[in-house]
Amino acid sequence: MSTSMIDAAKAEAFAERLLGTLNAGAIAIMTSVGHRTGLFDTLATLPPATSTQIAHAAGLNERYVREWLAAMTTGRIVAYEPTDQTYALPPEHAAFLTRAATPNNLAVSAQFISLVGGVEDGIVAAFRNGGGLHYEQYGRFHDVMAEDSAQTIVSALLDTILPLVPGLIAMLHRGIDVLDLGCGQGRALILLAQTFPTSRFTGYDAAADVIATAQTEIKQRGLKNIAFTTQDAARLDEPNRYDLICTFDAIHDQAYPRQVLRNIGRALRPGGMYLMQDIRASSQVHHNMDHPVAPFLYTISTMHCMSVSLAAGGDGLGTMWGEELALAMLAEAGFTDIAVKQLPHDFMNNYYIARKV
């Protein structure tokens, strides 16, 4: 293309945008570091302090802390006073960066950037050769997902999510059989088991390591109304076994999601309920142009959710499979009474409630 055909102003604006993207990506990595090292939590408790004072309070190496502070200062995350060389975390920033800010701690999600960046070589190979990467190739992914779920799902489960299903809390108090399919480390199910001791809870996940973590947790807590087992959701065969089945951010990762949804329908007793939390989006990319985190979610899909499904020879549904396809697949699975609900404070998720008639 001739340079004479290029709109110079548009080109310059795009170049500036790319520079901003580079800086934002770097800040995301440093935000992850700040979360994992506890630096944001430390800063939030300190008055303006030097790098030496901050490092001492956090129990970290000063030289690394000083360089991290420089990145955070130039990234306009941390405030710096050059006269006395002190740093401070503004309270308006701490409200989105500290563990005390849960469920609004965006530093938790920043961990995904560096995590998926670590598998870039494998994903590039998959672009060329097909297939994908398996769960065990992602290192800390389950730990980060558990932390993220604790913010978005577990913290809201009792007060806002369960009330979306009419009569569910009363049923749980009376005593019902509940399955969490794709339960991960089981934090949501453990909370339910503690809160509703007369109900019986089962958690299934295909990853043996996360099931082991969940089993250790319930043993330490002495819970008797809950069990965790390694189980491939596509092989679930327990007809008329459960009154409630939940999946939290799990269906779009499945190799065979249609089979999983059919299995869920069969496993429910007549009148049983299926509660599916998944990403709120459209199945059509052009309808997601104004989605506040669409690039982030499509990236996570490419680097993880779609890839783990394709690695198992599956459909590669992807994170952004969308409401239209979700409703169609629920109908294919035999659900006829389906409602889609949303929470005012949660722009990320849809809650699909389907009853087995």
Side-chain angles (χ1 to χ4, degrees):
M1 179 183 295
S2 171
T3 56
S4 62
M5 299 175 62
I6 294 177
D7 185 318
K10 286 185 178 180
E12 183 176 354
F14 183 66
E16 290 179 358
R17 177 186 166 194
L18 288 180
L19 287 175
T21 298
L22 289 174
N23 281 327
I27 291 170
I29 294 172
M30 290 291 98
T31 299
S32 175
V33 170
H35 174 73
R36 295 181 66 185
T37 58
L39 275 164
F40 289 126
D41 300 311
T42 299
L43 279 165
T45 65
L46 293 176
T50 66
S51 61
T52 299
Q53 292 168 331
I54 294 166
H56 178 75
L60 299 171
N61 179 278
E62 187 276 336
R63 184 65 189 93
Y64 277 94
V65 170
R66 187 173 6 125
E67 205 73 0
W68 178 84
L69 286 165
M72 291 291 96
T73 298
T74 56
R76 306 316 196 259
I77 306 297
V78 168
Y80 178 62
E81 176 50 61
T83 56
D84 55 8
Q85 298 184 328
T86 58
Y87 303 84
L89 182 65
E92 296 83 2
H93 298 184
F96 298 97
L97 290 171
T98 64
R99 285 170 175 81
T102 299
N104 298 318
N105 183 8
L106 293 177
V108 171
S109 298
Q111 296 174 97
F112 286 111
I113 300 301
S114 52
L115 194 154
V116 298
V119 299
E120 182 179 350
D121 287 350
I123 295 296
V124 169
F127 267 77
R128 296 193 171 103
N129 305 318
L133 302 182
H134 296 279
Y135 279 111
E136 59 268 20
Q137 295 176 263
Y138 284 88
R140 297 179 58 248
F141 198 89
H142 283 300
D143 292 336
V144 176
M145 277 299 302
E147 190 176 9
D148 187 64
S149 176
Q151 286 210 130
T152 58
I153 302 301
V154 179
S155 67
L157 191 58
L158 300 179
D159 293 335
T160 55
I161 296 176
L162 293 185
L164 292 174
V165 185
L168 179 56
I169 292 178
M171 292 169 57
L172 287 163
H173 279 300
R174 286 197 300 269
I176 59 174
D177 291 298
V178 180
L179 171 65
D180 184 359
L181 198 57
C183 64
Q185 294 181 358
R187 297 191 186 189
L189 206 62
I190 288 170
L191 175 62
L192 291 177
Q194 290 176 310
T195 307
F196 304 104
T198 56
S199 287
R200 300 156 297 278
F201 300 90
T202 300
Y204 288 155
D205 200 284
D209 57 338
V210 299
I211 289 297
T213 299
Q215 289 171 337
T216 299
E217 187 71 18
I218 61 172
K219 184 177 181 179
Q220 291 175 345
R221 293 174 182 264
L223 294 172
K224 304 298 183 183
N225 61 334
I226 184 171
F228 290 101
T229 305
T230 303
Q231 171 70 53
D232 182 352
R235 297 178 180 273
L236 178 68
D237 186 16
E238 300 182 33
N240 301 313
R241 172 70 178 83
Y242 301 100
D243 303 294
L244 171 68
I245 297 178
C246 304
T247 58
F248 296 112
D249 208 24
I251 295 300
H252 68 254
D253 287 339
Q254 300 296 318
Y256 307 105
R258 288 177 171 83
Q259 182 62 49
V260 172
L261 291 173
R262 287 194 293 268
N263 293 348
I264 289 170
R266 285 197 297 269
L268 283 170
R269 292 169 178 151
M273 300 294 300
Y274 174 40
L275 172 61
M276 178 179 77
Q277 171 263 320
D278 220 295
I279 296 298
R280 185 195 306 186
S282 171
S283 304
Q284 304 298 321
V285 65
H286 60 280
H287 291 314
N288 293 325
M289 294 300 294
D290 294 325
H291 193 294
V293 286
F296 172 78
L297 291 172
Y298 279 116
T299 298
I300 297 299
S301 182
T302 304
M303 303 296 286
H304 178 267
C305 302
M306 183 185 74
S307 180
V308 295
S309 176
L310 293 174
D315 296 345
L317 199 59
T319 310
M320 300 289 274
W321 62 315
E323 183 175 325
E324 301 94 326
L325 183 54
L327 288 171
M329 288 174 59
L330 286 167
E332 288 174 17
F335 292 103
T336 56
D337 184 5
I338 306 168
V340 183
K341 297 191 177 183
Q342 299 167 342
L343 296 172
H345 67 276
D346 182 1
F347 69 85
M348 285 282 285
N349 297 302
N350 273 347
Y351 296 87
Y352 299 84
I353 302 166
R355 184 183 297 274
K356 183 176 180 179
V357 296

